[in-house]
């Protein structure tokens, strides 16, 4: 089954920079110290892999709440590494495939990576790759076993590889034993008031006077939800105001902003 | 399996307005503030998707007790949006299909939607799409994973999409993690006395004097059950009176109405 | 699988009156108020479906202990409705079939019903259709999902349908959420002393003096067990007396009757 | 699957008297009141089926500890009924078959029975037919459902059938709901001292003086174990004495008998 | 599946004496009273089967801790019986086969046995035949059911059979109900000091003075572990001494013996 | 399935010394007494197998925390034995294969080993071969049964075999009963301060003054993590310093070393 699946895979994997750019829909802005720190450390791992003698395989896990910026961070590291081979493995491109086909796809990416002297493989949303669901819990043990072996298997002599994983279900990965399989793990947090303020300043859609109030209300908000919330608020209570706001002619009404925040928070 | 299923699907999805209309068997009447509020907010999301720059994908969940009006609400939003592509994905059209065929059907609708610049996809009765049953509990993880990925996957550049889900098992969706995958969630409640009264007035089948008594007894009743109950009561205790009532010649006997209410309540 | 199953089904479903008659092996006699009440209410639903404007689909569940008369009641409603299409869906005709074949059979009956302007479909012994067993518990979720969708799916415009379900495992159906899917539910009870007496009088196999004693002992007995018990007792302690009793020449010996009752009660 | 299985079955079922005789390896001897009582009552059921008007289907369960004589009893009833069709359904003839093949075999026997005006079907060791094992517990729900339907399904008009089941796992059958499906249930017990004495007297292998001591030690022993124990003891402590004993030249040494009893009891 | 498997089996089962001899790698020596007692009793069962009239099927289970000598004992009985057909059914010859193939192999051995007037079938390591693992627990119910039926099924008239089972998981077999299916069960224990001493004397690798100390330390040790331990100790602390020891030129160093014992005990 | 799998295996197993060398990426250095002791004892087992008369099969398990040096130790024993046949069975070469294919691969290695007079088979990371995951727990019972049988099955006459297993999940193996199947088990521990110091001295990348501080901080660290940590630290806080350090021109900054240690410890 798996072997067939392996043969059927067309090497559709070319340069993926384009692919990686789409992971940063809202760009990369300064959003606080912790995000900067992780970025710096991760770039040191890139360096270690580039010059490595004794550790041809380095693995690093980015974990944190949904929307905190893990995928954008991993993509950024991949882009900035300038390694000849950088690929992202994501559930999006494998919807509906059988476990063994997914498994074959994943193995294929690693096999391709082993052909490059320097490579980065991003395992995005590992819990989704594993088809994890909290009820049961259920997940694909076939894929889980595959990842555990791949995270430990050395590339051929002379080839060096950096594997970056992302997850918002670190507790689950720990109980699988997958966390232990990574050399290092970094926690990517939600925003603090200070970080939120920086992001809002960069967006420039609030009145100077409102920006602190808004930032405070956004303490503990994940980056991605913040962007969604701002866009909702920009429509205005009666609709139609977004163009004026993005062109800078108007600012977001702080009351309507809090209404929208209420709608969003009730779901968390 | 899934791939075959994908190919076998005939693009039977044309304009679906007709389809959507059938979701509002009893029309749309004023039934209280909450229903109006949700309708207004949802139409703002439609607007956001239409003019969106930064959020090409907006997702919204309507949850509430069985019969509270979720499907009719979603259909109404779809109709009023006047988007070129509006489709409803419902278990009714997929009875007896295998998990992977259902999965392929769902994916197909999204793929079609991605071809339209503006589109709305309604995931009706998500627990039924997931083949959920409380005992176990059991459900299709294949479909659940598919939905979780689709609710996060961006449409191609330049295409914008609004996804509306409905469910009467919000607790189950929460434990799956599907609730978190939606940008916003709105609770669609049963009727309050006041709302019930409005509906009864619109129907005009009760005596003026009986209408308040009836409305009070209907506090906390879902819309759909109300319509069923009225029609039962309209038969009269001995049958045969419904024509007279709907033509306005007679009114519903309030005692028989309470008898029928008793029959129906015992099952809740 | 399901699709194949669907095609293989030969439309062996013609007029089924004969079929329905066999469900009333011991005829229909007066056995108490509750049975009469249910019968009357159910006939009102038949009426509602016949003249319906706003509710083309009405669903009704008869639940009660094993042998209390549910199937005979449903069959009687079907026969008396004089609707052009009346079918009973029963596990008896689907022994050993796979889940998907059963599912296809069920769907087929509904599809056929949709072609008739007025129709009744009887889902007999729903727990058996679902292959329910208390250990586990286990059951067919495929069939359960199918029923839940069918109980909610509207027939085509202009067609009206009444669905009657029977079950002796109402607690199980409730935990599945199938009970909620029915518009109304009626509880069909075991016999009270009074009802038992009426049945015994109709049978006329006891001495006048014994009939009250016997009826009292039969308090809380299901109808079907009563008939079995009487026939056992009619053999006499040494056999051979049944002809004399049914021809009216002899009466059942009350002591032997109590012996047989003891044998039967020990199993309940 | 099931349908194929049904077609493949060769009607290897002819007259089975020979078959039934093998179920009484040690013959039928008087072993106490309870066994006699059950036998008599069961023969009344045979009579009831023969002359039946209103109950064309009678079902009876013999339950009791392993080796208590259930199968021999059922076989005896079958033989003495002199019905044209008497079959025993036993796991012995279906070793290693798939669930659906077993199911088909069982259905086949019933279909054959329906062709005879009077018939008896023995479901021997129902827990074994169901592939029951206490761990889990596990069992075949396919076969369990089949039995539940067959135990309720009426034969065609004019045909009468008696179904006799045997089991040593009555608690399990009860939790399945199979017990309730039988019209009557009889408990077949282990031997009491008195019954054991009768059996030993019939065998005539003990000294007059030893027979009471032996019978007392056998209180609560199942019939089948008793026969095995006597044969073990008949070998003598050093072997070689069995011929002398069975020919009546010698008697069993009571001490050696107690040694053997010790070996056997340790396993219960 | 099973039927195919049955046909594919090549009757590779000829005379198996050679096979049985390999089960006694270290021969059979006197190792205490219990082992002798079981051997004697088992030989009486052989006798019973040979002369049997009323019990053509005798079944006997040898249970005890891992390595206590069960398989060697069963093989010895088989060899000494001099029955024309003696076979051992062991998981070793069925590695990797499917459940149904294993099942077919087992059935085949019994069918072959039924052709011989006198036969012995050894079911070695029943828990392994059942693919038992304590976690879950898991095991093959197909094989378990097959064994339960085979342990009860009578051979054809005129054929007599003795079935010997071995297991080190008697608790598991009890919960399956397989223990009850055996006529008798014997417990094969680990060694007592006295038995260990006899074995060591027979091996003659210790100094007279050390033998009691060593035997005492071996109290409660299974036979097979004892043989492994002695061979380990015979290498000497620095290796190379085994030849001298087995040729009798040197004796085992008692201190090194205790070191090895420590290594081995830590694993128990 | 298994049989097919067996045939499809190409005997890709030639001399594997190269293979074994790759298991010791950082060579073998002196790292404390316990590692030395295990090595010595294991070499005695090699000797025992070489000269064995009575125990043609010796089995030994190396268990200990992840990264403690088990695989490198097993490979070293294999290399130093100079046996003609030494193979390592590892999950790395069987990614994505079905259970039965893995099973066939494993059996094949043993069959090949049986052809050599002296052989060593290494079962590396047994929990990975078993596809073990703590959640559930889940694992392959097919492979588990195969290993249990192979660990007990004697090689053909005249052939001797040593089986070495490694695992970091000894508790799991114990609950399977696999631990008991090994003749001896050795615990391979993490480093003590003293051992860590020896390793750091051999690496020569710290200042004399820092080495004790560093070693103390490394108490309880597995060997493999130590090597990864040192390489991380060698990059320096700003990157680019590793060449200077490995060439001996600079030493690792002890503060940066502690920073890296912090990153790594947080994941344990
Ligand atoms: N400094 C930053 N780091 C990361 N993301 C940033 C930063 N600045 C802006 N962003 C934007 O924030 C968003 C982060 O979303 P992203 O998808 O990376 O989150 P995530 O943690 O992967 O979410 P999920 O858990 O749902 O997968 C992106 O749109 C990205 O463009
Ligand atoms: N303002 C309103 N909003 C929603 N539905 C309305 C409104 N006014 C009347 N209706 C009628 O009420 C009924 C609501 O039923 P609907 O099927 O939408 O409920 P639902 O919540 O989807 O039920 P279910 O949980 O069973 O799927 C429809 O027949 C609709 O025509
Ligand atoms: N008034 C009555 N209502 C229903 N059944 C009656 C009535 N009078 C007589 N009977 C007889 O009583 C018996 C009722 O059996 P029926 O099979 O309907 O019970 P049931 O509740 O469906 O049992 P089960 O739970 O086993 O399916 C039938 O033989 C029927 O002929
Ligand atoms: N009066 C009797 N009734 C039943 N069996 C008797 C009687 N007298 C002697 N026997 C003998 O006792 C034995 C009873 O064994 P039988 O196989 O019927 O027991 P069982 O209850 O079916 O056992 P199991 O639970 O193992 O299936 C038979 O060998 C039968 O010949
Ligand atoms: N009197 C004896 N009885 C049994 N075995 C003996 C005796 N004397 C010596 N032995 C030897 O002891 C060993 C017993 O091992 P055996 O394989 O029979 O144990 P086992 O109980 O079957 O173990 P396992 O539980 O692992 O299957 C054999 O090598 C056998 O040659
Ligand atoms: N004396 C030694 N013993 C073992 N390994 C050593 C020794 N000295 C150095 N090493 C190095 O330490 C590392 C040990 O890693 P190894 O893969 O053997 O650990 P492991 O216990 O098998 O880990 P895992 O549990 O992840 O399989 C190897 O790189 C090896 O070269
Ligand atoms: Mg992400
Ligand atoms: Mg709805
Ligand atoms: Mg019924
Ligand atoms: Mg029996
Ligand atoms: Mg053994
Ligand atoms: Mg290792």
């Amino acid at each position: 089954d798996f072997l067939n699946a392996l043969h059927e895979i067309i090497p559709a994997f070319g340069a993926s920079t384009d692919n990686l750019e789409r992971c940063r829909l809202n760009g990369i802005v300064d959003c606080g110290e912790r995000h900067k720190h992780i970025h710096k450390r991760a770039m040191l791992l890139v360096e270690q892999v580039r010059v490595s003698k004794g550790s041809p395989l380095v693995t690093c896990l980015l974990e944190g709440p949904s929307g905190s910026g893990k995928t954008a961070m991993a993509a950024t590291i991949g882009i900035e590494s300038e390694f000849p081979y950088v690929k992202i493995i994501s559930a999006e491109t494998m919807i509906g495939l059988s476990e063994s086909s997914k498994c074959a796809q994943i193995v294929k990416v690693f096999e391709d990576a082993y052909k490059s002297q320097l490579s980065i493989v991003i395992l995005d949303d590992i819990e989704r790759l594993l088809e994890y669901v909290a009820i049961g819990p259920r997940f694909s043990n076939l894929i889980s076993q595959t990842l555990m072996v791949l995270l430990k298997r050395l590339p051929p002599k002379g080839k060096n590889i950096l594997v970056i994983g992302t997850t918002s279900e670190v507790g689950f990965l720990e109980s699988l034993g997958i966390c232990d399989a990574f050399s290092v793990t970094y926690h990517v947090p939600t925003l603090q008031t200070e970080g939120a303020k920086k992001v809002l300043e960069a967006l420039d859609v609030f009145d100077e006077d409102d920006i602190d109030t808004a930032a405070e209300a956004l303490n503990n908000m994940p980056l991605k939800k913040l962007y969604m919330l701002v866009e909702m608020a920009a429509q205005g209570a009666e609709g139609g105001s977004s163009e004026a706001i993005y062109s800078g002619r108007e600012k977001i009404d702080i009351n309507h902003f809090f209404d929208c925040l209420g709608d969003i928070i009730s779901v968390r």
Side-chain angles (χ1 to χ4, degrees), chain A:
Chain A
D1 204 12
F2 173 80
L3 291 177
N4 284 344
L6 208 54
H7 291 149
E8 281 167 19
I9 296 175
I10 328 128
F13 304 88
S16 62
T17 326
D18 193 59
N19 224 341
L20 294 171
E21 279 301 349
R22 288 191 60 223
C23 296
R24 313 190 294 185
L25 193 68
N26 298 292
I28 294 290
V29 304
D30 177 359
C31 64
E33 286 312 304
R34 179 72 189 158
H35 280 75
K36 264 195 259 176
H37 174 77
I38 299 170
H39 180 254
K40 187 176 170 193
R41 280 301 172 95
M43 291 310 293
L44 277 180
L45 295 180
V46 169
E47 177 82 6
Q48 177 179 347
V49 167
R50 186 180 284 116
V51 305
S52 171
K53 303 249 146 67
S55 50
L57 169 68
V58 175
T59 56
C60 160
L61 179 65
L62 303 178
E63 61 86 2
S66 172
S68 62
K70 303 171 297 294
T71 303
M73 176 87 78
T76 302
I77 295 162
I79 293 169
E80 296 181 356
S81 75
E82 298 186 334
F83 279 13
Y85 187 93
V86 182
K87 295 284 168 195
I88 183 160
I89 296 175
S90 146
E92 284 191 14
T93 60
M94 303 194 284
I95 294 181
L97 294 190
S98 69
E99 282 183 63
S100 57
S101 298
K102 287 186 185 177
C103 197
Q105 295 249 24
I106 294 169
V107 169
K108 180 71 172 64
V109 172
F110 276 84
E111 299 287 353
D112 285 355
Y114 293 161
K115 290 175 196 148
S116 169
Q117 206 172 341
L118 296 171
S119 57
I120 290 183
V121 171
I122 299 171
L123 295 164
D124 194 35
D125 252 346
I126 295 181
E127 70 273 21
R128 202 53 55 239
L129 295 177
L130 294 178
E131 300 170 16
Y132 168 69
V133 70
I135 297 179
R138 298 198 216 163
F139 62 93
S140 161
N141 194 26
L142 179 62
I143 300 180
S144 144
Q145 295 297 325
T146 301
L147 291 188
M148 281 195 271
V149 173
L150 288 173
L151 285 169
K152 223 172 139 177
R153 184 166 75 166
L154 297 179
K157 272 191 195 152
K159 313 294 185 188
N160 295 341
I161 185 167
L162 172 64
V163 181
I164 305 176
T166 81
T167 186
S168 48
E169 295 282 353
V170 72
F172 164 63
L173 293 207
E174 236 158 40
S175 56
L176 281 186
I178 287 191
C179 279
D180 280 356
F182 282 94
S183 316
V184 263
T185 300
Y186 293 107
H187 177 70
V188 184
T190 52
L191 294 180
Q192 303 302 304
T193 302
E194 197 194 8
K197 194 175 166 192
K198 285 184 181 172
V199 178
L200 292 187
E201 282 168 350
L203 283 171
D204 189 28
V205 289
F206 281 94
D207 228 68
E208 298 266 314
D209 303 349
D210 292 339
I211 221 160
D212 279 312
T213 330
E216 219 144 284
L218 292 171
N219 187 24
N220 228 10
M221 176 72 68
L223 256 173
K224 209 153 75 176
K225 288 239 159 192
L226 181 152
Y227 283 104
M228 171 59 65
L229 175 59
V230 165
E231 185 134 1
M232 275 175 73
Q235 305 304 316
E238 303 301 323
S241 68
S242 76
E243 216 195 306
I245 282 168
Y246 287 120
S247 65
R249 276 179 285 133
E250 287 177 27
K251 294 293 172 188
I252 287 177
D253 175 62
I254 189 79
N255 291 324
H256 182 57
F257 169 78
F258 277 108
D259 274 13
C260 295
L261 184 61
D263 278 4
I264 278 202
I265 278 178
S266 70
V267 278
R268 282 194 310 171

